[in-house]
Amino acid sequence: EAQVTQNPRYLITVTGKKLTVTCSQNMNHEYMSWYRQDPGLGLRQIYYSMNVEVTDKGDVPEGYKVSRKEKRNFPLILESPSPNQTSLYFCASSFAHNTDTQYFGPGTRLTVL
Amino acid sequence: DQQVKQNSPSLSVQEGRISILNCDYTNSMFDYFLWYKKYPAEGPTFLISISSIKDKNEDGRFTVFLNKSAKHLSLHIVPSQPGDSAVYFCAASDGSNYQLIWGAGTKLIIKP
């Protein structure tokens, strides 16, 4: 089954404790992206990747890191989480471009205390 | 400053009637628009898209209309069904980079 998986689905952590949210897709997609969803703001892009070892900042990259060492995986790293990073995070992938149909993971609900 | 705006946070429609969801944008360079649908506890799923060279695109019960002069697009759902109850996001791209700009979403509630 074609899918995007994210782990964990729910995470409660404390300020400053490094964490990684994993994202994996099995569709051989080149384009992958991370979004955060906040009430009243919709989806905002954090980082995206056009292919292996090619990443770029989205609208809200501060406080986040990503890597794309393999085509299928695109982890999101919070080196020192802060309460303003409490949000719902989505990973997405598409064939080659942001205007191709993007397939989204189920989301990760992160709470930073 | 939000470049893509969905001014109605929610919309309630009777089953069987037409649902019209609206989206306005400010960037005249946007040339491709997409609608995604999101159920609770799931990620968004693609619904329909339109290029700026068209003013209408239809897919079954879903039709998207684009008015470039007004920088406005709308999604029509006819007839509305209970399974259409979801949050609908409008997104736009200007083709010059790999970003999509998203609206805040409209929650559609279909009443039986």
Side-chain angles (χ1 to χ4, degrees):
Chain A
E1 181 192 352
Q3 60 181 352
V4 177
T5 56
Q6 294 178 229
N7 282 293
R9 294 288 312 276
Y10 302 91
L11 179 61
I12 300 174
T13 189
V14 295
T15 299
K17 186 176 182 183
K18 181 179 178 180
L19 66 93
T20 299
V21 184
T22 64
C23 173
S24 183
Q25 51 94 3
N26 63 1
M27 295 168 278
N28 202 34
H29 284 166
E30 292 187 351
Y31 182 88
M32 296 187 75
S33 183
W34 275 103
Y35 296 91
R36 60 178 288 174
Q37 183 189 2
D38 300 291
L41 297 176
L43 288 153
R44 292 181 294 167
Q45 194 171 39
I46 304 170
Y47 269 94
Y48 59 94
S49 170
M50 289 77 77
N51 213 326
V52 175
E53 302 290 4
V54 183
T55 63
D56 207 349
K57 297 176 182 178
D59 292 323
V60 288
E62 294 78 21
Y64 304 95
K65 283 175 56 177
V66 293
S67 69
R68 187 93 181 272
K69 293 182 169 37
E70 306 165 279
K71 200 169 188 178
R72 62 183 294 126
N73 296 323
F74 190 45
L76 179 70
I77 303 153
L78 285 72
E79 294 269 5
S80 182
S82 62
N84 64 12
Q85 293 179 296
T86 292
S87 186
L88 179 58
Y89 292 86
F90 290 102
C91 179
S93 74
S94 63
F95 180 65
H97 197 275
N98 61 328
T99 54
D100 296 327
T101 299
Q102 289 195 55
Y103 295 83
F104 281 79
T108 295
R109 172 75 66 183
L110 173 65
T111 302
V112 183
L113 301 174
Chain B
D1 181 33
Q2 285 191 295
Q3 297 185 67
V4 176
K5 298 180 185 178
Q6 294 177 257
N7 292 318
S8 299
S10 66
L11 175 67
S12 187
V13 174
Q14 203 73 34
E15 180 180 357
R17 306 292 291 268
I18 183 171
S19 295
I20 300 176
L21 295 93
N22 294 305
C23 179
D24 296 296
Y25 61 96
T26 57
N27 188 342
S28 57
M29 298 301 291
F30 287 151
D31 60 2
Y32 200 83
F33 304 88
L34 308 94
W35 285 93
Y36 279 78
K37 172 177 166 179
K38 183 184 179 304
Y39 293 119
E42 295 182 12
T45 55
F46 171 76
L47 190 57
I48 193 169
S49 62
I50 188 167
S51 164
S52 60
I53 63 173
K54 294 185 172 183
D55 53 19
K56 176 183 173 182
N57 188 26
E58 201 169 347
D59 183 2
R61 295 187 297 113
F62 303 92
T63 303
V64 56
F65 295 92
L66 175 61
N67 182 333
K68 290 185 288 293
S69 60
K71 294 192 182 71
H72 176 84
L73 63 155
S74 60
L75 174 68
H76 293 213
I77 306 173
V78 184
S80 300
Q81 298 175 354
D84 297 329
S85 294
V87 176
Y88 290 78
F89 290 100
C90 169
S93 170
D94 68 9
S96 66
N97 59 35
Y98 285 81
Q99 288 187 257
L100 274 183
I101 307 299
W102 296 72
T106 296
K107 183 176 184 178
L108 176 64
I109 301 163
I110 305 301
K111 299 179 292 185

